[in-house]
Amino acid sequence: MAARGMCEGRVVIVTGGGRGLGRAHALAFAAEGAKVVVNDLGVALDGAPGEGSAAGSPARRVVEEIRAAGGDAVAHGGDIATEEGAASLIATALDAYGRLDTLVNNAGFLRDRMLVNLGEDDWDAVMRVHLKGHFLPLRQAAAHWRAEAKAGRAVAARVVNTTSGAGLLGSVGQGNYAAAKAGIVGLTLVAAAETGRYGVHVNAVAPAARTRMTEQAFADLAGVPEDVSPLVVWLGSAASAGVTGRVFEAEAGRITVMEGWRPGPTADKGARWTPAEAGETALKLLGEAEPPGAVYGV
């Protein structure tokens, strides 16, 4: 561990921190001097029950790695997609270290199906872990930071949410996952606007890396989780002051600022269109517009 790092003195929570991207983020934050709360429920790739909070759980193994390297970390094995689990996650950081500076929302799993084969349970489960699993810890952390700000204590808090190219462009066979990840972008924009007054910056990263979630569907990915973590660490540090409400894509050695919906070609008749006029105008505007990015898998 470096004697002084970018995150020296900061307390960082990483959800889904036991494997893949989350593990890489937790280790990278610790290497930069942060004290880390590693959350992981220990479930299988599809969310089925796994190792849980047992002594050999993924979260505890990462904590042991951090401690072996000279860092400081604690494990949390609760379900952050529940009110109780999200509250206990924030409480774990405060009880262990007396403060919270950064929340990295990363937990998730996949239940891929083509739309006509996608069951309601598969839809609900993916929405729950990705979207609700971002919302509940974010709300709990934001409430804490608001209280700190109102008490007159300086806050330089950071939230890094995890979206996906699937949520930005769509991905065949991943309607539930794509919808959840698109929702995370919307949540990021709102949270950034609402919590900035309390000293909180909220951004999102769309990572592309070889993990157990991507190795089957996207075998040609060049990057590994450790390639994404440097950007996440910077966004989670005080060095990212002034950067909020933005979405980045990170893969291998490439970082891209993703530009979302904004007004393109427009026409205003000044009165109500007929259906035929509306169609003719829409086709004209589409001819002037930038074509959308290709949906993954097409």
Side-chain angles (χ1 to χ4, degrees), residues 39 41 142 179 184 192-193 214 233 259 270 296:
N39 161 267
L41 196 54
I184 287 168
T214 61
V233 169
E259 297 182 334
Y296 289 105

Side-chain angles (χ1 to χ4, degrees), residues 1 26 36-37 39 51 56 58 66 100 149 154-155 168-169 177 196 203 206 211 216 229 235 251 261 297:
M1 295 286 170
V36 186
V37 178
N39 161 267
E51 297 165 279
I66 291 172
L100 173 62
V155 175
L168 303 175
L169 297 173
Y177 177 73
N203 295 284
T211 69
Q216 295 181 355
S229 298
L235 287 171
E251 178 183 9
W261 295 108

Side-chain angles (χ1 to χ4, degrees), residues 234-258:
W234 181 78
L235 287 171
S237 76
S240 63
V243 179
T244 192
R246 305 307 293 262
V247 178
F248 298 84
E249 188 174 64
E251 178 183 9
R254 176 175 56 84
I255 295 173
T256 304
V257 175
M258 304 301 286

